Structures are given as C-alpha cells and as structure tokens.
Amino acid sequence: MRRFIIDTDTASDDAVALVMALTYPDVTIEAITVVCGNMPLEQGVQNALYTVELCGKQVPVYPGAVAPLLRPLEAAHDYHGQDGLGDIGLPLSGRVPAERHAVDVLRETIRRYPSEITLVALGPLTNLALALTLEPELASLVRECIVMGGSVSGGNVTPVAEYNAWVDPEAAKIVFASGMPIKLVDWQLSSRYGMLTPEEEGQLQAQGTSLATFCVDIQRVAREVSQKNLQRGIVLADPLTMAIALEPETATETGRFFVDVATDSLTRGQTIVDIGNVLQREPNVEVVLTASHERFVQLLHRAVR
Amino acid sequence: MRRFIIDTDTASDDAVALVMALTYPDVTIEAITVVCGNMPLEQGVQNALYTVELCGKQVPVYPGAVAPLLRPLEAAHDYHGQDGLGDIGLPLSGRVPAERHAVDVLRETIRRYPSEITLVALGPLTNLALALTLEPELASLVRECIVMGGSVSGGNVTPVAEYNAWVDPEAAKIVFASGMPIKLVDWQLSSRYGMLTPEEEGQLQAQGTSLATFCVDIQRVAREVSQKNLQRGIVLADPLTMAIALEPETATETGRFFVDVATDSLTRGQTIVDIGNVLQREPNVEVVLTASHERFVQLLHRAVR
Amino acid sequence: MRRFIIDTDTASDDAVALVMALTYPDVTIEAITVVCGNMPLEQGVQNALYTVELCGKQVPVYPGAVAPLLRPLEAAHDYHGQDGLGDIGLPLSGRVPAERHAVDVLRETIRRYPSEITLVALGPLTNLALALTLEPELASLVRECIVMGGSVSGGNVTPVAEYNAWVDPEAAKIVFASGMPIKLVDWQLSSRYGMLTPEEEGQLQAQGTSLATFCVDIQRVAREVSQKNLQRGIVLADPLTMAIALEPETATETGRFFVDVATDSLTRGQTIVDIGNVLQREPNVEVVLTASHERFVQLLHRAVR
Amino acid sequence: MRRFIIDTDTASDDAVALVMALTYPDVTIEAITVVCGNMPLEQGVQNALYTVELCGKQVPVYPGAVAPLLRPLEAAHDYHGQDGLGDIGLPLSGRVPAERHAVDVLRETIRRYPSEITLVALGPLTNLALALTLEPELASLVRECIVMGGSVSGGNVTPVAEYNAWVDPEAAKIVFASGMPIKLVDWQLSSRYGMLTPEEEGQLQAQGTSLATFCVDIQRVAREVSQKNLQRGIVLADPLTMAIALEPETATETGRFFVDVATDSLTRGQTIVDIGNVLQREPNVEVVLTASHERFVQLLHRAVR
Ligand SMILES: [Ca+2]
Ligand SMILES: [Ca+2]
Ligand SMILES: [Ca+2]
Ligand SMILES: [Ca+2]
C-alpha cells in the first residue's frame, strides 16, 4: 500500500485528479492539503471537501497558506469559474475542514512515515516551501514529490511562465533547491499528453456515472475558454500528473536536469531547465519528457467507473 | 506581569540583552526562540542556553530557522568572534535546547496569550516571517513587537543596509507588511544612544559581579573591531532595544511611518522609511527617533547587579 | 574666461539657473543642451530658447535625448506647470533651436576645448551618458561637471530618490561610473541651502527688473505645490547648483565618496553615497556637504539686476 | 543595387559572413561598423580590416562602442581564439580604420539613403541601440534590419540566453522596442540550418581558393570546442544571417511575434518570443522559423569561388 499527500489549489482539473486518486485501489491518501492558487484558499478547501464527499471517502482536508510567500495572490477565476468548478451550481460551501494547518500536517505526516510519502503537488508550491523552510530535513524523508508546474519551454500566463510557478516563484525556487526527489510534469508535457478532445470528453461522459458527469461538467468554463482560444481540447494538467503519480509508467521518458526559477519581472515564474547542461550544475529535478496519453485516458475512465 | 518572547541570533550584544530581560523583575520570558543570523543556528542556541544558565533561570530555548527564507546565511563571526561571545573560552556546547520548533512555539504562545505577548526581535526576522506567513492573524494577537533592525539612513553592512534586515530582507519585508504593531529600533538610533564608551564599559565591569564580567568580556572581538574602525565605543543595539522593551520610556520620541524593505542587489536590506510621507501610504511602523542613553545605562547596571 | 555647457530639462528652476549663467560676467556659455526630464524635450527646448532671448543673448540651444535610456519619460508638469514655466502665459513656442544634436555638440565642444569645459547638468543625465558611452575618453577631457541630482539621504519622488536620478537611473549610473570629475549638488543640500522663502522671493522681485519678475513669476505652480505641502519656501535646486558652478566658494564643504545609483524597483534612482566607506571603493564623486545660502541669494540678486 | 551596412563584432563566423557579402554581386556595402562583443573592439576592427583586404575591397571599417551600455564586456576568446580568427597566425594588427565613429556613420548613412539601407547586425546591438536612442526616427528610415541574436528557446551562454543578446541585453531591448523592421535569425534556427558538418567544411575547402582556405581555417578553435562538446559540426550563425540578408528566400518560413529581452540576473539576455501571443502585444519582430540549409551552403560556395 502506498501513502499519498495531495497538495492542491482545488479547481476544475485538481478535482478530476482528486477523483482519480480517491478511487484508486492501492493508495492511502493521508491528507489533502490545500493551498491558495487557482482559487482563494477558502474556495479551494470547499472544492476539495465536496470532491471527497462525492467520492464517498473520509480523507481529511487541511487549509494551508492563504497567500504566496512574497506576493499577493492572483487567482484564476477566468479559467475555472468563480467557484473553481465551472460555475455549474454545485453546493460548494459550508463544509468544515480538518482543524490543523496544512503545513503542520505535511511536516508531521512526512516524519511519521519516513521514505513512504508520495507528495503530489497540484498547485503553487507555497505549502511545501513553508514546510521545507521550517524543516529542511523533510526533503530527505519524502519518498517522491510529483509536481505539476513550470514549463520546459513556453508558458501559459506569460510567454515563458506556467501559472503554478508564476503565482509563487519564490516557493518554487525553494522547493526545487531543497534536495527533495522531484518529478516534474510541466505545462508543455501537459499540453501534449494531458489534453482531452471533445470526443474524448464525450467518451468519458458516456460512462454515465455521477463521477463521470462531475469530471466533465466542472470543465465548463475551462472548455469555453479553450474553445475561444482555438485549442483542440482542454488541458488536464493535474490529472496527467496524478496519472504519473499513480502509475509511474505513464511517464514514458524522463531526464534529470538542473532546474531553477526566475523571480524577476519579465520572466517571473519561468522554470529554467538546463537541458543542454550549459550551467554544468548538479541535476536536481527529474523532468518527464514524454508520457502515454492512452494510459492517462484509461486511468481517467477507470476512475469514474 | 508582562509576557515576553525573545527572538535572537544570540551573539555578544544579544547575550547582554538576554541578561537584562532575565534579571528584570516584572517580566515573564515565555520562550527564547533562536534564529540564524550573526551566528549559525546551532551556535546561537548554545549561546542562549549558556546565558540563561548563567542567570540561573529556567527559560526554555527553542531552535528555529537554519537559513534565511531565500538566501544563504552570511553570519558575522568577524564582529562577534567564532563562538559569537568574543572567543573568550566560554564552554558553549553540549547544552540541550527544548524540543519544539521556535516557529511553532511563537505561534502557540501568541495564541495562548492573545494581546499579551511582547515580542522582542533581536536578529533577522526569519522566524517571525514564517510564523506570520503560516498564520497571518497572529499579527493582531501580538501586544507589541520591538524590532532591532533596519536603518532610517545609512547602514552597517552596506552604505544603506543594516545587518538584520540585510541578511533576510524578504523576512523583514513580510514582517513590516504584516500589520503587527511594530516599534523599530534602527541602527542609526542604536549607534547614537546604544553606544558604550570604554569608560562606561569600565563602570559596568566595576560592578564586579559575574554577570557584569560576562557582559563586558564577551564584547572582546566587537571591541577590537570597533577600535580598529576608530569608533568611540561599542554599539549595543540589542541591549538598547531590550531597554526600550522593558521600559518603554527609554524611547523618548517616536514617529509612525510607512516602512518597506528593498530586496534587490545594490540596496538589498535597506529599510525605506518614508519620513517625508512621499508615498502617502498608511504608516505601519513606529520608529524610535530618540532615546535616553542614561536610562539605557541605568538598566544595564541594574541587570548585572 | 571660463567655458560652460549647460545641460538642462528647462523648467522653472532651470530657467533661473540659466538667467544666472547668461548674465554672469566672465563665463562663455558654449551651448545649452536640452534633455527630456521635467519637461518633454520639445517644451524644454522652447523654454530654454525663450530664456536666452529674454536675457538678450545669442547662445545656441540644442535638442538632445527625447527619452531616458531604458524607460518611458515621466515629466513633472504637476510641479512646474504644463509649460514648465508656471503657466503664466509666456509665449513658449515657435522658436527654432540650433540644428545639431545636443549629444554631438557635447562631444565636439568638449574635444575642441580639452580641460576647459565646465559642464553644468541640471536635468536627467541622459545626454551626458550617451556622450560618455559613445566616447568614454570624454570623461578625462572635461574640466569639471557639476551635477544637480541624487540625494545623500531622502528623496523627493520616492522616500529615497531624487527626480533627476530617478527619471533615468541608468544614465546616472553611467555618468557616476565614467571617471569624469563630478561635483554633486544633491536634493538634501538643495533643500537646505537653496530654498527661497516668500520674504526672499519678495526681495528678489523688488529689484523690479524684467528678469526679476520672470524668475519669481515662473515659480507660480511650484510655489503653490510647496505651500500645499507646508514647506517654508520653494527649493531652487538648479540655481544653487549654478551658483556653485559660477562661484565654487558657494560650496563651503565637500567630501569625496563612492557613489552609485540603484536601478531596481523599490529604490530606483536612489544615489548610494558611501559616506561611511562601508564598501571601501575608490571615491568617484565630490559631494557638496554644506553651502552658503547668503552667497547663493547674492548671486541671484546680481543676476536679475 | 542594394545598400548594406554590416555591424559586426568580427570573430570567426562574422568573417565568413563578411566574405559572403563582400563578394556578392549586386550589393554595395556602405560601411562595416564594428562593435565590441566576441572580441574587444580593437581586435574586431583589425579582423574586419583584414577580411576586407583579403577580399580585395575598399569598404571602410568604423570602430564603435567599446563596451555594452551598462555592463562590462565579456568577450568569447574561448570559442573564437585569442585573435578571434582561430589563432592560426594571421597578421591581425596595424591596419588603420576609418576615422568616424561607427554610430555616427550609422546615423548619417541611414539618413542619406532613406528606406534603402539593409542593416545586418552580427554582434551585440550596442551600436544600433545608441544610434536609435540618439535618433529614434532612424527606425523608420531603415529598409530592414536582419539581426543574428537571441533564441526562441534555449540558449548558448545560459540555458535561456544567446550570446549577442546576453552581452548587451539592454541594447537588444532598445532595438527590439524601436519600431525598426527587424528580421530575427536566432540561435535555435542557426543551430539547425547554419551548421556545417566536417564533410561540408571539406567540400568548401576543396574549392581551393584563398577565401575558401580562410573561411575554413579561421574556424579552428570553434571547431575544437564544438567537437569537444560532441556537436555534429560548427554553427555558422552569422553566415546564415548574411545568406538570409543577401537572398531573403533562404528563409523559408517566418512569423511575426512580440519579442522582448530579459535583463535580470537569472534570465539575462533571454529573448522572450511570444509565439503563443500570451501577452497580446503588437508583434514587433519577424522571426525566421525555417531556412534552407542547401541554399545557405550554395551561397557559401559561391562566396569563396
Ligand atoms: Ca491545480
Ligand atoms: Ca542580534
Ligand atoms: Ca532641472
Ligand atoms: Ca558575431
């Protein structure tokens, strides 16, 4: 049995990733820790609680950082809707999260299960950066940390930066430099292997279950934005990341590179991935280079069955 | 009875400040939380433990952040000696600190005594920044935070930056922006009102107690450096800060200004004190503008008696 | 006989400085070179042409840089009025400047009279920076460059930056690093010794000449702003600078320090004056530390007589 | 007949590009303007003069900027040899350049032939930035400016920056923002279409002319470095750029994008090419996306015949 902690700024693709993990057989989710990002903290917490309830599970949800380390939060309502789950009228309020601080739960759970915890980070890395700053030795106690974030080349918020790394670039910098074993699922990879076309969405919905309906319906705003931008489908970055966390073979090729994060104005949040080893620095991140789209879609289907 | 938490990167002037607080009648020191700064964390912890023991007290000492938020630590062995207490051969190792993390102790103690805790910050603000980032509402639960750091004009590490603000400028930025009621004892003020001349050092030592001897002897390296730099005496910034914390009337004039901290290369760690209100921003810090040197010296004498 | 080039972003205090120089006996003004700053280039050129004409002189006026090196121009209409000369209805258009580029005139004139030219820089340092970048050896051919700009401590646009250094900080950085013999008249000095009280303005106007009327009337907007800000008078920074250029004894005390300029966000344009020699760098600027207000006022009176 | 100005930091690949232009039939090279870059200015001037002489031409060579706008020069002796032409013993000293400043020649020549000048920029953009800063209207008088520099993705000096843009990023920023019609030949394109394999070098040398020998021999150091780095051949970025300048059809595909340049620490010199139009800014650069390697090689062969 594997132990996961999922750190998430729960919006529409995080929710699908949560469904995948919550329904997966041999994985115990020790905690869902929420961080501000796509959604303000409070909304992300409610969305995570709703998703857990919908899956009929008891996993505790802990609220974490309410703001990036050094910058004001810039949420992504435009892409995920006001409530983060597509504004389709779900009852996303009133649930009560667990009492402890997400960062404390991260610290304690990692210490309780040394070398056992798989961290899946689906939002800005603020919670993880805080835990690692408080206790740098946690880096060596984590089994693996699979991060959705950054971009080997190109971005989605600026020409060079992906959202999670851009919202809290200092946190990303801290996490990448921490020495923790990190596997990176970047924006470029997600766009290529984690995109769901309208046909594929249709096939998913055709499963007819409440989870299938949920997973498809909450993409409403994201789908509209993607169509307006003439994209072939919606990018499910967090679900692809979860697929790789659940079944590592979903990543078909990886490489170890030195990765750092720019924090200055024009290039804020850009992940510098030294593929050509120009800097001749010790590699610190295993970057997923190719993935299996088929496997990803299979995992999606199995999750909502 | 007043409740203090003292956050300190315990070097030679911190130790004197600790002596002043530990021997002061109506103050309960709930905790001494140590942060890296003048000394690496481990050495600062040992120095604090030794000082508490020398004073015959039972105050717990908690280790905190081992590095600034985003930068490598640059300690100040040149000014305080290798062991931080003047390299006069004190047995500064082997003592065992309390078990909890300084940042957790800060969080819990402030919550336990809402509006009661006086925080005295004598080192870089990393511990405080971490506590405030984890729980922003702590800012409104602190009674007052007296900070030694920054400079209204001029600096001691660079032409514009004081050491504590320079070592972890991001932490200082977070703390100043937190909304916590802050009273700032800056470098300029410390140089003017917190300087002890050789005569004054002699008078202190003439008290003949072990604490008097300790307080004077541990300034050995600092004294040599100050003489080499042709200064009239040694600047006891932390003790002046403690004097103002213990007896607020030691500050004879203050002003409320907007204060921010530069984090960029050339001006890293500079505190921008908007005395002329050029930015027309809400004041966030009460800056001590003048202090009573006499009162400060009296407090010193009383402490070592 | 001395040879001057005056580089100016001609607004209300520049104009007074021009009057002082144009009416001074033993000085030949080889050229007035205009730079964008307080005014867009075109308006500054017109204001300089008008001032020369009013003084009945033939000095050529050359237009220079239309924008700072790397940043958009932020003019100062609020302080100097829309036309830069107090919006008192002067006919400030239609005059035709000389044909050459200010930067070329600077280069050639300095080369024509090696070690003879006194440069008086009353605006942002863009023109000078361009000349020095094109021909670094000009730095050693200038007799002296008296610069109005920067601030030893405190600022007027931000808490730490003076306008001229702030508008084009990169240019200031280039000029200070050029090796040219620079005498700096900073904002702090100008505020202290170059301020004209209402009484002193009255005495100047009482001279009854057209130049006296001009020099006082064009301060209309500046006077209003200063009164609103509860200042004791108007600061005539450029005229004080010109007084020091014309009669060096107006500066009663100077010091040589290393000076650099911050170009980053929060401290953009701050002049770092290493008075304490913290950086232990070679001094590159002679900073005027005190000046004679009486002498300055005398020079003003003589100019408009 | 077309009029060219070639701006170059003449090292081993610039020299080949010069040979191509100097031997091309219908092009008049009005001037070769030299800028510091791969070589210190003086050496670049000598290398250009030698190359012109070897081609038996009379084109004047003008020295320009001796340093980047704001930074010290970091030359590339490691890649091009101490003398920039492979250290093969060529007599590269003693020739006398034309007397005027490169930047002045750029300004005057562009004005003399409005809409006629094709600028080919083969080095850091310092000279061009200075000309455009002095006279912004030059941007609209240039027929076209073909720039070798920057990188759509990946770099050669840092993981994200190409040398020319990195050496003087502020200059590149100024030039890209100037409004001048720019066609960009970036590092990525050059690596793909401008690489010469050992076989292709052999075929070129087999022409047996002195120019063929020169063009191949001066790549000695570059060849060694490339082999050590396990590259398939040497990248002739400047010659590919010149091929596109001489015969625009060598570029087989281009796109117009918004391009800016990062100037901050970690990403200094990175060209931000907004291919996805994330910033929704007006395109300012035509970026060459594919080129004809065959055509490029043909042009090379014709040049040395
Ligand atoms: Ca997410
Ligand atoms: Ca201290
Ligand atoms: Ca001026
Ligand atoms: Ca070149």
Side-chain angles (χ1 to χ4, degrees), chain C residues 201-224:
Chain C
E201 280 203 275
Q203 288 155 10
L204 191 66
Q205 191 153 30
Q207 296 265 3
T209 62
S210 63
L211 282 180
T213 304
F214 174 73
C215 287
V216 171
D217 285 0
I218 60 177
Q219 311 304 330
R220 194 179 64 84
V221 180
R223 192 181 302 119
E224 287 170 13

Side-chain angles (χ1 to χ4, degrees), chain A residues 70 101 104 107 134 170, chain B residues 70 101 103-104 107 134 170:
Chain A
L70 297 179
H101 195 294
D104 294 332
R107 295 159 65 192
L134 285 164
E170 284 80 12
Chain B
L70 297 179
H101 195 294
V103 173
D104 294 332
R107 294 159 65 191
L134 285 164
E170 285 80 11

Side-chain angles (χ1 to χ4, degrees), chain C residues 64-70 101 103-104 107 126 130 133-136 170-171 173-174 264, chain D residues 64-70 101 103-104 107 126 130 133-136 170-171 173-174 264:
Chain C
V66 299
L69 294 183
L70 297 179
H101 195 293
V103 172
D104 294 332
R107 295 159 65 193
T126 321
L130 282 166
T133 301
L134 286 165
E135 306 185 36
E170 284 81 11
K173 204 176 177 72
I174 288 171
D264 293 318
Chain D
V66 299
L69 294 182
L70 296 179
H101 195 294
V103 173
D104 294 331
R107 294 159 65 193
T126 321
L130 282 166
T133 301
L134 285 165
E135 306 186 34
E170 284 81 11
K173 204 176 178 71
I174 288 171
D264 292 319

Side-chain angles (χ1 to χ4, degrees), chain C residues 83-294:
Chain C
D83 67 9
L85 297 186
D87 292 339
I88 55 172
L90 295 176
L92 300 171
S93 64
R95 286 174 186 80
V96 181
E99 280 224 335
R100 322 235 17 236
H101 195 293
V103 172
D104 294 332
V105 171
L106 280 163
R107 295 159 65 193
E108 287 168 25
T109 314
I110 292 166
R111 287 200 174 277
R112 186 175 317 130
Y113 303 111
S115 303
E116 281 197 59
I117 296 293
T118 297
L119 263 175
V120 187
L122 306 176
L125 293 167
T126 321
N127 283 347
L128 272 60
L130 282 166
L132 289 163
T133 301
L134 286 165
E135 306 185 36
E137 59 277 22
L138 292 177
S140 63
L141 298 175
V142 165
R143 187 170 172 277
E144 186 174 37
C145 177
I146 293 111
V147 172
M148 193 288 121
S151 189
V152 172
S153 109
N156 56 5
V157 205
T158 78
V160 295
E162 176 275 343
Y163 177 82
N164 283 344
W166 177 84
V167 158
D168 197 344
E170 284 81 11
K173 204 176 177 72
I174 288 171
V175 170
F176 287 140
S178 69
M180 186 165 60
I182 295 172
K183 188 179 281 175
L184 191 69
V185 178
D186 84 316
W187 177 251
Q188 212 178 21
L189 188 91
S190 301
S191 303
R192 183 171 295 177
Y193 300 102
M195 182 178 272
L196 224 58
T197 61
E199 294 70 41
E200 289 172 322
E201 280 203 275
Q203 288 155 10
L204 191 66
Q205 191 153 30
Q207 296 265 3
T209 62
S210 63
L211 282 180
T213 304
F214 174 73
C215 287
V216 171
D217 285 0
I218 60 177
Q219 311 304 330
R220 194 179 64 84
V221 180
R223 192 181 302 119
E224 287 170 13
V225 175
S226 301
Q227 284 170 351
K228 202 182 305 169
N229 292 343
L230 303 177
Q231 295 176 309
R232 290 186 308 105
I234 51 170
V235 177
L236 294 182
D238 290 347
L240 177 65
T241 306
M242 189 58 80
I244 290 170
L246 292 169
E247 307 201 342
E249 319 84 72
T250 308
T252 46
E253 194 185 357
T254 70
R256 287 188 56 74
F257 306 112
F258 173 72
V259 176
D260 201 348
V261 182
T263 55
D264 293 318
S265 45
L266 198 58
T267 51
R268 165 183 171 182
Q270 179 181 9
T271 39
I272 317 287
V273 181
D274 191 2
I275 289 189
N277 197 21
V278 175
L279 299 178
Q280 309 211 328
R281 302 268 310 257
E282 189 69 25
N284 59 346
V285 173
E286 182 180 5
V287 179
V288 179
L289 297 173
T290 60
S292 164
H293 180 66
E294 294 66 36

